[in-house]
Amino acid sequence: MPNERARRGQTVLILAPAGHDAASIEQVLARRQCRTRIVGSLAELAGRVGHAAGAVVITSEALTLQDPAPLLRALDAQPSWSDLPFVYLGERRTGRPPPGAGLREKLPPQINHVMVLERPLGADTLASAVDWALSARGRQFQVRDHMEELAARAEQLRESERALSESRSYLRDLLDASGEGIYAIDEQGITTVCNAACRRLLGFAHESDVVGRPWSELVAHHRADGSLYRAQDNPVQLTALGGAATHVNGERFARPGGLGFPVEYWAQPVVRGGRLCGALCTFIDVSAREQAVQALRSAEQALKSSEAELRLVADSLPVLIAFIDRQLVYRFANRAYEDWFYVDPEAVVGRSVQEVLGESGYRERAAAMHEALAGRTTTLQAAWPHRDGRRRDADIRYLPRFDAEGRVDGFHVFVLDVTEREEAAEVLRRGHSELEALVAERTAALHAEMQERQQAEEALRQSQKMEAVGQLTGGIAHDFNNLLQGITGSLAVIKKRLAAGRSTDLDRFIGGAMTSAQRAAALTHRLLAFSRRQPLDAKPARLNPLVETLQDLLQRTLGEQVTLTHALADDLWLTLCDANQLESSLLNLAINARDAMPGGGRLSIATRNARFEAGDAELARDAGGAAPGDYVCVAVTDTGEGMSRDVIARAFDPFFTTKPIGQGTGLGLSMIYGFARQSQGFCRIASELGRGTTVSIYLPRFTGETGSEAPAHDGVDEAAPVPARDGEVVLVVEDDEIVRSLVVEALQEAGYRALQAGDGPAGLELLRRPQRIDLLLTDVGLPGLNGRQVADAARLLRPQLKVLLMTGYAENAAIPSGFLAPGMALLTKPFAIDSLAARIREMMQSPQMLLPAPTAAEPATGR
């Protein structure tokens, strides 16, 4: 039966523009039951060329009188299987040439499937030619259908291959997901499949290391006696290759070059088409199971030993001990049952409570027993006479026992003979008045003893405090006397030489005096740090960049014999601290570590996030009252000599040092401790003699807005010239006349016009006057009206006024976070004159501040 789709393309297109040729052709073909359609032009014919067209009858006039280009383009666009048949009707030539001679040459090459007929011609000839064309067209459609069927089969094949590939991939994933070692071998013992667990257990990294190789090359086997034999002699495989499934427990594999391990081993023959073609083998490493069995045996042995020991202990106690289950049946009874019930304990176990106690004894205790079975501990006292009638009072306790699921599975019984206690209580009740007197006498004695102990403890604390104060003052006096000697001695030499008119070589003595003064300032700074009274510029800071910027400086400080490494945590929290003080602390720790490693070593700086829990007793001991919460920890670890416990206990004390005389002041660690505590954090030391030391600084986590984070350095170049602009005026408020005159002199040399006042009220009086004042420079510790109060009052008078506060020590200026308003800055005494000028220049050049308008009571004045 012809393909149904081949019935398409039965329409015969007729293009005969001359006369009635088209109608005549249509009549001839209609009598032959042909479906026809007359088209009026080559362009219309081009539009009809498609699957519906079966053949074209065209006369020579159509090709000569019209543009054939549209038709030729349509023919070029036909699919590969399509070659539309044409019946071409041409004019017969004179001289009777062969039929069709010369007519075919006039046709374009696109019309190559054509039958050429000469006119005039008969109806049968035309009909036969059209039948030929339609038959040829039908065969083309059959070819098309066959091609489509082949394409569909090819696509089905590709889909099958893709499905097979996905199935293989899925099967491989399933095999690799298994924790069991799975492999397959062919009948020759060649490995064809090996999953990930098999490769891992045998010590192979890649599938290519296993597949395609004989199994005997991959693994050796151990016999029970420990000897090795080749894998091809493996009885499990041989049995499977013989056609029978087998299972062995206790086989041992050995990795190439490695130790053996026990396996449980299965092998299953693989049969295809009735032919044995290999074996599928599975094994698991049962090392853990063997260890668990061994551990279970050990536990059983330990349990037996524990039970025996428990029995020994229970039998040796003068207490009646038993365990009763939920059915009120005895499951344990100690040796005391011989004294209480006059029966062997073994005769008690397995019997019910009613049998052992009797009905009356059970009724007395039943309520308490049911309380115990409900999960509540119960206690009762009962008279339990001896067999001979002697008095015996019993204290009975029932303690419920809970199983692993929290359910009560019985209760323990503890019965204590309290006859003597009860008799003593009766005696005590009879002698109550005497006892009260005795208790009052003893209470008075204890009170006096406690008072004496408190006085002794107070005296000890006062002694320890005086010892610490003596150590502190002695250290301060020693260091300051040395520093003052350098200053006064240098000034004396300078004075004597100037009096003698000798001005040469004065720079050396001036430099010595300056060095001593700077060392005195550093000593004061460290003392303030230890006492937590130093001014801190606390800002949000990221510790990892700060540690990284110190690397070059630390490496130069440590020298070539010490290796510096970092271990910086990712996603480190922000902290709130003075970055410069933290850098100084890390530098001090690095110097201490270097001195502890005279022969070289390794120094590591690590950062991490830490959480201080309220119940962490170890951290609480070192936290010194710091609040529990989130902290950022920076730890400095060396491989040096380490510290003893006694040294660790005193490491943070001021002027305590283990270094030789002249090599350390003993203020480095105390300054670090004070800085951490003042920053609301704490320090810890972990050390072991000969194993090195770790000093950890814990700083609180910052969770607020990060408007500006602390830079690694303040960026001020103290040596750079900072000339003033014309007319800039600075008001200096300082109660110390010498300091005030030095500051005014320095400002005038820098080009500023300076106004001065000796106290706060005098400074405010100058601010009320209608004169130009660009910046207020005031000491914080003024008598009466302090510097901060002067600054606040000045801001009411002049809202745009910038304020620079100076402080040597001020309680409220210790931590300026929340102390300084916008447009204010803090400068710590003693300071270099160039630093003062640079800070003033920096503030003068900062953008104008936007401050609230002054109140009506105190109008703003000034420029």
Side-chain angles (χ1 to χ4, degrees), residues 544-720:
N544 284 351
L546 185 145
V547 172
E548 290 171 346
T549 58
L550 283 176
Q551 183 170 2
D552 292 341
L553 175 61
L554 293 177
Q555 190 62 69
R556 291 195 300 271
T557 302
L558 295 171
E560 296 181 355
Q561 289 185 309
V562 177
T563 301
L564 177 62
T565 61
H566 290 160
L568 307 181
D570 297 332
D571 300 327
L572 194 67
W573 296 327
L574 279 175
T575 185
L576 187 68
C577 72
D578 188 321
N580 291 328
Q581 294 300 323
L582 181 58
E583 290 179 351
S584 177
S585 299
L586 294 178
L587 184 59
N588 269 304
L589 292 176
I591 292 173
N592 286 348
R594 179 199 62 191
D595 295 342
M597 298 183 289
R602 184 173 66 258
L603 179 72
S604 173
I605 301 179
T607 61
R608 62 184 176 89
N609 296 324
R611 179 164 283 107
F612 174 18
E613 302 288 352
D616 192 337
E618 184 178 354
L619 265 183
R621 184 181 63 250
D622 296 327
D630 292 339
Y631 288 81
V632 178
C633 176
V634 54
V636 178
T637 303
D638 64 61
T639 57
E641 300 168 349
M643 303 181 188
S644 66
R645 291 186 178 181
D646 294 339
V647 172
I648 293 175
R650 303 185 59 192
F652 292 129
D653 292 349
F655 296 104
F656 175 77
T657 180
T658 58
K659 298 178 182 178
I661 297 176
Q663 295 188 18
T665 64
L667 285 175
L669 285 178
S670 62
M671 180 272 291
I672 295 170
Y673 172 82
F675 157 69
R677 295 295 292 120
Q678 190 176 351
S679 301
Q680 313 304 315
F682 57 94
C683 288
R684 297 187 71 191
I685 296 179
S687 184
E688 187 177 346
L689 287 174
R691 302 289 295 273
T693 301
T694 297
V695 181
S696 302
I697 303 175
Y698 290 78
L699 297 172
R701 179 185 181 183
F702 177 74
T703 57
E705 297 293 332
T706 57
S708 62
E709 296 179 12
H713 302 283
D714 57 13
V716 177
D717 187 357
E718 297 182 355

Side-chain angles (χ1 to χ4, degrees), residues 415-562:
V415 181
L416 181 64
D417 186 346
V418 293
T419 306
E420 294 181 359
R421 187 184 72 186
E422 291 298 317
E423 291 176 345
E426 293 174 0
V427 172
L428 288 175
R429 283 192 294 271
R430 287 194 300 267
H432 180 67
S433 58
E434 297 177 3
L435 179 62
E436 285 184 348
L438 180 62
V439 169
E441 180 182 352
R442 181 57 181 161
T443 301
L446 288 175
H447 182 68
E449 183 180 348
M450 290 177 62
Q451 285 185 334
E452 292 178 2
R453 180 178 297 177
Q454 289 176 353
Q455 292 174 357
E457 290 177 351
E458 183 63 28
L460 178 60
R461 283 195 295 270
Q462 185 66 22
S463 173
Q464 291 174 341
K465 184 188 298 182
M466 294 304 296
E467 181 182 357
V469 171
Q471 180 181 349
L472 178 63
T473 55
I476 294 173
H478 174 270
D479 284 359
F480 264 104
N481 283 336
N482 287 339
L483 298 172
L484 290 174
Q485 182 62 49
I487 296 172
T488 58
S490 298
L491 292 176
V493 171
I494 293 171
K495 182 178 179 181
K496 185 178 295 186
R497 291 201 176 188
L498 289 176
R502 297 167 55 195
S503 60
T504 59
D505 200 24
L506 294 182
D507 288 344
R508 179 162 61 91
F509 298 101
I510 294 173
M514 289 295 295
T515 300
S516 296
Q518 290 169 356
R519 290 174 57 197
L523 178 60
T524 305
H525 175 76
R526 291 188 175 189
L527 288 171
L528 288 175
F530 170 74
S531 63
R532 292 172 261 170
R533 294 296 186 271
Q534 63 176 333
L536 292 180
D537 189 9
K539 295 180 181 178
R542 298 188 184 275
L543 295 195
N544 284 351
L546 185 145
V547 172
E548 290 171 346
T549 58
L550 283 176
Q551 183 170 2
D552 292 341
L553 175 61
L554 293 177
Q555 190 62 69
R556 291 195 300 271
T557 302
L558 295 171
E560 296 181 355
Q561 289 185 309
V562 177

Side-chain angles (χ1 to χ4, degrees), residues 73-371:
R73 285 195 296 270
L75 294 176
D76 286 333
Q78 291 181 104
S80 60
W81 58 268
S82 178
D83 189 5
L84 185 62
F86 279 76
V87 176
Y88 179 68
L89 305 180
E91 294 295 335
R92 177 179 296 176
R93 295 186 176 182
T94 59
R96 303 190 64 83
L103 296 179
R104 185 182 294 273
E105 290 77 2
K106 294 181 179 181
L107 296 175
Q110 288 83 350
I111 303 176
N112 54 15
H113 195 183
V114 59
M115 178 177 286
V116 181
L117 300 176
E118 293 182 350
R119 292 179 292 180
L121 72 165
D124 292 339
T125 302
L126 176 61
S128 298
V130 170
D131 288 341
W132 165 83
L134 292 176
S135 298
R137 187 61 168 170
R139 288 192 296 272
Q140 292 179 13
F141 274 95
Q142 291 176 351
V143 170
R144 179 202 64 180
D145 294 342
H146 185 62
M147 291 174 61
E148 290 179 352
E149 185 177 354
L150 290 178
R153 291 181 180 177
E155 180 62 26
Q156 291 175 354
L157 181 59
R158 286 191 293 271
E159 287 296 329
S160 299
E161 291 177 347
R162 281 196 295 270
L164 180 60
S165 176
E166 291 176 357
S167 298
R168 289 175 176 172
S169 177
Y170 177 68
L171 179 59
R172 182 177 297 278
D173 292 341
L174 287 179
L175 291 177
D176 287 342
S178 173
E180 302 177 351
I182 301 174
Y183 71 93
I185 57 174
D186 61 16
E187 63 274 17
Q188 302 300 323
I190 303 300
T191 308
T192 58
V193 174
C194 182
N195 74 337
C198 179
R199 298 193 300 273
R200 174 176 54 79
L201 291 170
L202 296 181
F204 293 100
H206 305 288
E207 187 176 18
S208 58
D209 298 334
V210 179
V211 174
R213 296 175 58 187
W215 180 257
S216 59
E217 295 180 1
L218 302 178
V219 62
H221 292 247
H222 287 275
R223 291 190 177 91
D225 60 1
S227 61
L228 294 175
Y229 63 89
R230 293 180 304 164
Q232 62 262 34
D233 299 330
N234 179 8
V236 178
Q237 286 187 9
L238 293 176
T239 302
L241 292 178
T246 184
H247 166 244
V248 174
N249 191 5
E251 180 80 6
R252 298 184 66 86
F253 284 178
R255 300 180 182 92
L259 299 176
F261 60 97
V263 297
E264 187 171 0
Y265 197 13
W266 296 265
Q268 179 73 31
V270 177
V271 178
R272 290 197 193 116
R275 187 179 69 85
L276 184 66
C277 57
L280 178 64
C281 303
T282 305
F283 65 91
I284 58 174
D285 185 350
V286 294
S287 301
R289 188 169 70 189
E290 287 191 354
Q291 293 171 0
V293 170
Q294 185 62 35
L296 180 60
R297 291 173 181 167
S298 300
E300 290 176 350
Q301 184 62 37
L303 180 59
K304 291 179 181 178
S305 300
S306 177
E307 288 178 350
E309 186 174 355
L310 178 61
R311 164 68 66 177
L312 178 63
V313 171
D315 288 343
S316 65
L317 292 175
V319 181
L320 187 72
I321 302 174
F323 177 75
I324 300 173
D325 64 15
R326 291 194 62 86
Q327 285 70 41
L328 297 180
V329 174
Y330 281 90
R331 297 304 177 189
F332 176 83
N334 74 334
R335 185 61 57 186
Y337 269 77
E338 293 179 347
D339 299 329
W340 289 78
F341 288 91
Y342 306 101
V343 295
D344 190 275
E346 296 180 358
V348 174
V349 175
R351 298 173 63 189
S352 68
V353 172
Q354 291 92 331
E355 292 180 72
V356 176
L357 296 178
E359 289 298 329
S360 60
Y362 171 70
R363 283 195 301 271
E364 292 176 1
R365 298 165 174 79
M369 290 181 179
H370 286 92
E371 284 286 314

